[in-house]
C-alpha cells in the first residue's frame, strides 16, 4: 500500500467506504456524518453488529488502489489481517 497521505478524512463525502484498524484487525467502515469538527464512522463488526468511531477531520487517509485506508501506526497490512464478515451475505 502507498503509505503517503493522499487526502484527509474530512474531505471525503458522507457515505464513503473506508478500511479502519480496530484493536485486533482491519474492518470495513462508512462515513456516517460530519459534526462538531469530527467525522463519525460506522464500523462493521464480524458479529453482525456495528459501532461508531469519531475521528478528527484531519486524520490521514491513504489509498491502496481505489480503496481508502485510514492511516495510523500499525505494523500489519490491512490485506493480511482483514476481518471476515458474515459469509451469508
Amino acid at each position: 500500500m502507498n503509505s503517503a497521505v493522499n487526502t484527509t478524512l474530512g474531505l471525503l463525502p458522507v457515505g464513503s467506504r473506508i478500511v479502519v484498524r480496530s484493536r485486533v484487525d482491519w474492518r470495513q467502515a462508512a462515513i456516517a456524518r460530519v459534526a462538531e469538527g469530527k467525522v463519525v464512522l460506522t464500523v462493521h463488526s464480524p458479529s453482525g453488529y456495528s459501532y461508531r468511531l469519531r475521528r478528527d477531520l484531519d486524520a490521514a487517509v491513504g489509498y491502496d488502489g481505489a480503496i481508502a485506508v485510514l492511516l495510523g501506526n500499525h505494523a500489519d497490512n490491512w490485506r493480511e489481517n482483514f476481518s471476515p464478515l458474515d459469509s451469508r451475505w
Side-chain angles (χ1 to χ4, degrees):
M1 180 179 88
N2 180 5
S3 62
V5 175
N6 296 92
T7 189
T8 60
L9 199 54
L11 295 176
L12 296 176
V14 172
S16 296
R17 302 290 179 167
I18 189 165
V19 177
V20 299
R21 181 74 159 104
S22 71
R23 291 183 189 150
V24 295
D25 54 14
W26 291 86
R27 297 183 176 179
Q28 295 180 39
I31 296 177
R33 66 185 163 124
V34 178
E36 301 171 7
K38 299 277 185 183
V39 174
V40 179
L41 300 169
T42 301
V43 182
H44 306 283
S45 173
S47 65
Y49 294 98
S50 63
Y51 59 93
R52 293 185 180 155
L53 292 177
R54 287 168 184 73
R55 296 291 180 258
D56 291 329
L57 292 171
D58 61 351
V61 175
Y63 286 90
D64 187 355
I67 300 172
V69 180
L70 186 62
L71 300 177
N73 298 326
H74 310 293
D76 60 340
N77 183 321
W78 75 269
R79 290 182 184 266
E80 297 168 359
N81 191 16
F82 193 69
S83 175
L85 294 179
D86 190 345
S87 62
R88 295 178 294 174
W89 306 107

